[in-house]
Structures are given as structure tokens and as C-alpha cells.
Amino acid sequence: MNPAQTSPPRPRARRRRFGWPQRVFSQVLLMQLAIATGVTVLATGLFLAPLSAQLDDQAMRRALAIAGTTASPRLAADLTRTQPSARGPVQTEAERIRTSTGAEYVVVMDTRGVRWSHTDPAAIGRRVSTDPADVLAGREVMEIDSGTLGRSARGKVPLRDADGRIVGAVSVGIEYDSVRDRLLAAIPGLLAYAGGALAAGALAAYLISRRLQRQTHDLAFSDISALLAEREAMLHGIREGVVALDRTGSVRLMNDEAQRLLGLGPEAAGRPLDEVLGRGRTADVLAGRVTGEDLLTVRGHRVLIANRMPTDDGGAVATLRDRTELERLGRELDSTRGLIDALRAQDHEHANRMHTLLGLLELEMHEEAVEFVTEVVGVHRATAEQVTEKVHDPLLAALLVGKATVSAERGASLRLTPDSLLPDLLVDPRELVTVVGNLVDNALDAVAGTPGARIDVSFRTEGRTVVLRVTDSGPGVPEERRELIFTEGWSTKALPSHGKRGLGLALVRRLAERRGGTARVADGLGGGAEFTVVLPDALTEPEPEPDPDLAARGPESAPDAAVRGPEPARDGAVRKPGPEPGSAVRRPVPGPVEEAR
């Protein structure tokens, strides 16, 4: 096979196309040069056009002034007393004036139009070549005209005697070539000035274009158009919020996702960031008053991760990611681990008790075995009864029983204060479960490893308001950190598996403030920290009391079994309505979605 047939074809050399450049820098430079050149040429033309007329007018006025000076009464007297001749007084005076003023000619004529003076003595005594009727009628004349001596700028005045009678006229001509020479002599200087102005304009255009080249990164107009289209598609297509700020801190741009995450609309563009978002951590993070990477913030019910990058013009671009679902999964994982720890603690304790029971049975200590089982069951029943007697909501009671088991396994004592009482009238039990779960978990972390670790939980109601207090025997919270601990993203604990902490106390305060309440921390009476959360309108209105007259007519007339009162159990004991003692341990622990750290 021919090697020439197997070799790849050579690419054709691309022709250089000469045409309108594509770069912004080149186009702007050419347009500015064209504008500067056009303005210079136009200004030069506009200057030259009146300059020619101005020079003509100056020449005619000069001729008229010379003629007016020449037309004196003495010259009129000489005209009337003598005859026209080459050596007469009129010719002599006219030539003297012509020589001294540099005029092309000075012609004196009588009322018939006959010359009495001329640069050519042979023309004396002859009639002038142009009609003198206007000047002999007493009018001054200025004109550009052609005569026997060629084209000239002329000025004509009537010649009057001592009595004011017109006895003739004086015509003075300025050579038109001198006027044209003055015009041509002015053009080089004018062009020099115009060229200097054009050079200065070209230099300014070049410098401006170079600056524009740096700012546009030497892009073509088509590239800029494509970048704008791509930017719009990218900003409105990505699932991350993008907020662009200018150097003054005002919102320059906000894409659809940022508007959704921040709960704002398109009207936020152009307004200051603090005015749009209000005071808070979200505004501080986006404005750069809080620095760092992957900063946590809470906006409404959303948990956001923010990153901020400054721009060259003094502004900044901030990106927002929605971590609500991830945080929910993280809280589910933490809650699941807490549940596993509780089950593991119960399993460990149950195994030890079974071994003890097995040993008592093998030793045939049957009475001691019965007493041991009775005591163990009684302790568990007593713990559940204590919780359910003071906390009537089943979800919250189940949470406290589970937390008590985990606390005992970690060497801490969790107990309800004697004055605690919470009726089963909660508007949103899951909300209070979240608050209690976070506060107990934080207290348990604070007292872990300390001797005599203790956690006290107190519930108190004031009308429809619930006041919750969680006190621990830990080291407490320094006064300078008592507001900082409620900030999103702040934590002294090690990172969990989902990678972020510092949301538990922030969510507690956010839930309290959403109801118009408060969340604060102070020193406990016996040392440690005391967290107090006030939740207004957390309880529903109690149901009205049953009609006593209806109750007096007997149970058969009651429309609902709930008003029939206690009914006897099978063993003859009176059973109160409501949850049985110990039943809270059989209810499920609150879902992991509700517990947040």
C-alpha cells in the first residue's frame, strides 16, 4: 500500500479573515478611534468653513476702511479743480495711499464713472469696468468681484465735497490671492492642533480599552452573551442558594433557591442585607461578620450551611445549602443510639438479675428469690409510677423513663422534683419532647464522669404556660458564654457521625421564641447549670367539668363512659381512669425525628 495513502491528511491552513474584530477590547478601541477621528475632521471642517468667510469679510472691511480714509474733502476739491492725468494730485494721493496700505488698487472716479487714478496710468480717463451706480447714489459697497486686475475684495465709498455733495467715488481693492494665502497658511497649524487632539484622543481611547480588556478578561461580545445566558441557567437551575452582595452590603442577586431557603422574594434585590433578613446569625454569616467555612445557621425551620467568598470589587458571593434533612437524619441517628444505649443498659441489668435469680434458685433459696424478684419489679414499677404521676403526657413520660435508664447506666441520677406536675393537655407534645430531650442530653454530657452526678427536671404550669427547668450538678456555664451557647454551630462536644453540632440549644431557644417564650441559663442552687424554658400557650384549655345534676341521675344517663367514674377491677380494687402505673415504659420512646442535638 502506498504510504501516501495511509498517512493522515494534512489540515488545511486557515485563512486569516480580515473584518470586524470579535474582542470587546478591539471593538471598543476601533469605535473610539473612529469617533475621535470623525469628531476631529468635523471640528476642523466646521472651523475652516467660517474662517474663509471671515477672511473675506475682513478683507472687504479693510478695503472699505481704506476707501473711507481716502475719500476726504481735500481729495474731492482736487477732483473738481483738475483734470484726470497720470501726474495730477488725485493720482499722486491715490498711489501714496495704495503704497502705504498695501492695497491692490485705489481708484478715484467722478460722477460719470471716469477714472482719475489707477495703478495703470494708461487706464486714467477711462470708464470703470463695473457699474458705479450704487456708490454714486450715496451707498457704501463691499463685495468680492472680478475686474481688470482680477478677483479682489472691494470697498467703495462716495466722495463728497465740503458741502456734502457727491462729486465722485473711491474704490479700493484687496488682492484676493492674499486672502486665500492667509487661509492656506492657517490650515497647517489647524491640522497640527487637530492631529494633536486626535493623538490625545487615541491615547485615551487605548488606555480606556486596555482597562476594559482587563475587566472583561479579553472576552468577545459573543462570549459575554453566552456567559450571561449560562449564568442565568446555572443560577436558576442549581439546588444551592446563591446570594451576591455589593460592596455596600446590599443584595445584588439572589437565585430561586436562595429565595426559597431564606423565605424572601425578588423584591429583596437592591436592599441592604440587614434590612431584608433582620438582625440575627443568618445576616451576620452572609455579611461576613462571622467568618469560617461551612457555617451553621437556622432560618425559620430550616438548617442551612453557608459559605462566603469575597469578590474583587469589594462585594461577596454566599452559597447556602439546605441541611434540614441531613440534620433530621443525624438527630434520628443520635436518638437511635440513645435508644440502643437504653436497651443495652436494660439488657445488661436484666442479665445480671437473671444470673442472681438463677444462683438463688440453684442454692434452693426460694424465699430469697421471691423477695428479689418482687423488689426488682417494684423498683421498676415505682420509677414508672413516679414519672406517670407527675407527667401525664405519655410521650414525655416515656422519654423521661428512657432517659432515666440511660442516666443510671452512665452513673447519673435523673429525677423529677417533688413539685413537678404536667397535665395531659399539651398542644404539641413533640415540641416539648424536643426541648426536654436536648436539655437532658446536654446535662447528661455535663455531669458524665463526676461523682454524685445528678439531673433534676421540673415541670410547672402557670395557666396555659409551661415552665421547664433542668438542673445538673456539672461544672456550670461561665457567664460570658451563657448567650454564646444558644448560637447555631457553637459546641464544646466532639463531632457526631453526621459531622455537625451546636444545634440543640439553638433549636430550644428557637422553639421557645416561636411561642413568644424564653430560654436562658443560670447557676444552679447546688452548683452546675440551671436551664429554664418558658413556653406560653403550650397547654390547651381544660375540658369543662361534667354537670353535677347529670352525674346525680346515675351512670346510665351519662352520654359518655368517661364521666362514670372509677370502675372496680377484677380483683376488687378500684381502678382510676388514665394510664396504669408503669404503662409508660410500654409506650414507644419518642421518634428520633423529634430529638435534636
Side-chain angles (χ1 to χ4, degrees), residues 51-128:
L51 178 62
S52 177
Q54 183 180 4
L55 292 177
D56 290 346
D57 183 71
Q58 289 178 356
M60 291 186 294
R61 291 186 178 278
R62 179 186 170 198
L64 186 65
I66 295 174
T69 303
T70 304
S72 62
R74 187 171 63 86
L75 183 63
D78 291 339
L79 180 67
T80 57
R81 290 198 306 264
T82 61
Q83 295 293 325
S85 66
R87 297 181 180 273
V90 176
Q91 171 69 6
T92 302
E93 181 66 16
E95 285 298 307
R96 184 187 66 79
I97 293 175
R98 183 187 68 82
T99 304
S100 62
T101 58
E104 183 181 13
Y105 64 86
V106 177
V107 175
V108 181
M109 68 188 78
D110 58 15
T111 54
R112 298 170 300 170
V114 177
R115 299 186 185 100
W116 286 63
S117 67
H118 199 273
T119 55
D120 183 8
I124 298 176
R126 297 178 183 177
R127 184 176 174 81
V128 294

Side-chain angles (χ1 to χ4, degrees), residues 573-593:
V574 176
R575 181 176 301 161
K576 298 180 180 180
E580 296 187 13
S583 61
V585 297
R586 293 193 298 273
R587 297 182 180 268
V589 178
V593 178

Side-chain angles (χ1 to χ4, degrees), residues 155-210:
K156 299 177 183 181
V157 297
L159 180 61
R160 302 177 186 270
D161 60 8
D163 296 331
R165 290 180 297 125
I166 297 175
V167 296
V170 178
S171 176
V172 176
I174 303 296
E175 187 179 5
Y176 194 75
D177 289 341
S178 64
V179 179
R180 185 178 58 185
D181 292 341
R182 288 178 61 191
L183 177 61
L184 295 177
I187 291 178
L190 181 61
L191 292 179
Y193 286 120
L198 180 60
L203 179 60
Y206 177 76
L207 295 178
I208 294 174
S209 300
R210 288 292 298 177

Side-chain angles (χ1 to χ4, degrees), residues 239 256-264 282 296-305 320-325 327-328 331 488 503 506-507 510 514:
R239 301 305 299 169
D256 299 340
E257 185 67 9
Q259 295 176 16
R260 185 183 70 86
L261 295 178
L262 298 176
L264 302 174
T282 303
L296 273 173
T297 181
V298 177
R299 178 72 177 176
H301 64 282
R302 299 185 185 279
V303 179
L304 306 177
I305 297 295
L320 300 170
R321 285 175 289 164
D322 190 356
R323 285 186 65 100
T324 306
E325 291 300 320
E327 287 298 325
R328 183 183 65 82
R331 293 195 299 270
E488 298 96 333
L503 288 178
L507 289 177
R510 183 64 58 89
R514 184 162 41 177

